Amino acid sequence: MGELLLVDKLENPEGIVADLRDHGAISLPLLKEEARLRLIEEANSCFFRVVDREAGGVIQEAEACQVFSNGSLCIALKNELQDLLYRSLTEYNPYPFRTTLNFDTLYLLRYKAGSIGITPHFDSPEYVNLMAGFILRGSGRFYICDDLGKTNSRELNTTPGNIILMVAPGFIPNSSRQYHYLDRVTKDRDSLWIRQYKWGGAYPRLTA
């Protein structure tokens, strides 16, 4: 067991890959409670900027932080998740990503109570393979859907401590982007999103 995560290897990687292939995203408990509370403490000391309310037809009310110190617990969590997925999936056959999974981007996202959240959208195609979002605190309804009209909306479990895994271009055999949205934010909601920018190279050991 790692310092921050409940496990150091996924027990059923075949089932997780199948669920991602069939549904586009999944949610599962992964973060230790002590680690979650420490991450909230760190988030409260971060500088958040207000995100543009409207961009490309997407409307949101949120704040974001993308600057972390070298000793950041957020960076340590990224590293531990990278290691867990490497141990769990490196021998999975066939390997579920077009290139080696290599997380290199992370940001804290904050939606304050009463926020409209964010309307249906999919993320930039520059983010590839897999996206991961740890729910740190708060309450909001997170959905995946088929299009901008919220067709076939499916709600994911956003209990604090859960991680949302969502496919991105490069996930095999599905290379599409997954529509998703957030609404009904009733308590301040913080999440940490971890992604891979474009196509990564060989697996690196990321250090805090």
Side-chain angles (χ1 to χ4, degrees), residues 123-207:
D123 289 4
S124 168
E126 293 181 333
Y127 295 107
V128 298
N129 287 337
L130 188 70
M131 295 185 287
F134 285 96
I135 312 303
L136 302 185
R137 66 165 181 157
S139 178
R141 309 286 291 271
F142 185 97
Y143 298 86
I144 56 175
C145 55
D146 294 345
D147 54 36
L148 295 174
K150 302 183 180 179
T151 302
N152 195 25
S153 290
R154 291 90 74 195
E155 185 176 5
L156 296 185
N157 186 342
T158 55
T159 300
N162 272 36
I163 185 174
I164 292 173
L165 297 175
M166 190 158 51
V167 299
F171 180 83
I172 299 173
N174 177 7
S175 291
S176 62
R177 293 175 283 171
Q178 176 63 56
Y179 284 98
H180 55 286
Y181 63 98
L182 175 77
D183 64 14
R184 285 175 275 183
V185 181
T186 57
K187 297 180 181 178
D188 290 357
R189 182 183 188 275
D190 287 351
S191 56
L192 178 68
W193 284 89
I194 302 171
R195 303 185 292 188
Q196 178 176 348
Y197 182 74
K198 295 186 178 177
W199 305 114
Y203 169 72
R205 178 66 182 95
L206 303 174
T207 57

Side-chain angles (χ1 to χ4, degrees), residues 7-19:
V7 297
D8 56 17
K9 190 173 183 179
L10 297 174
E11 293 184 359
N12 183 22
E14 295 86 358
I16 289 174
V17 170
D19 284 344

Side-chain angles (χ1 to χ4, degrees), residues 54-146:
E54 185 171 0
V58 178
I59 300 174
Q60 65 177 321
E61 292 177 351
E63 300 176 355
C65 172
Q66 294 177 284
V67 179
F68 303 92
S69 66
N70 288 335
S72 168
L73 198 63
C74 293
I75 296 177
L77 180 59
K78 177 186 70 171
N79 295 341
E80 196 166 317
L81 177 65
Q82 176 82 68
D83 286 346
L84 179 147
L85 292 174
Y86 181 75
R87 284 190 294 269
S88 302
L89 299 176
T90 189
E91 296 179 0
Y92 183 87
N93 188 20
Y95 187 66
F97 307 111
R98 188 178 303 170
T99 62
T100 302
L101 187 65
N102 175 21
F103 290 129
D104 55 13
T105 304
L106 72 163
Y107 64 101
L108 283 164
L109 196 57
R110 173 169 291 171
Y111 292 93
K112 293 185 176 179
S115 162
I116 64 169
I118 185 168
T119 57
H121 66 287
F122 47 47
D123 289 4
S124 168
E126 293 181 333
Y127 295 107
V128 298
N129 287 337
L130 188 70
M131 295 185 287
F134 285 96
I135 312 303
L136 302 185
R137 66 165 181 157
S139 178
R141 309 286 291 271
F142 185 97
Y143 298 86
I144 56 175
C145 55
D146 294 345

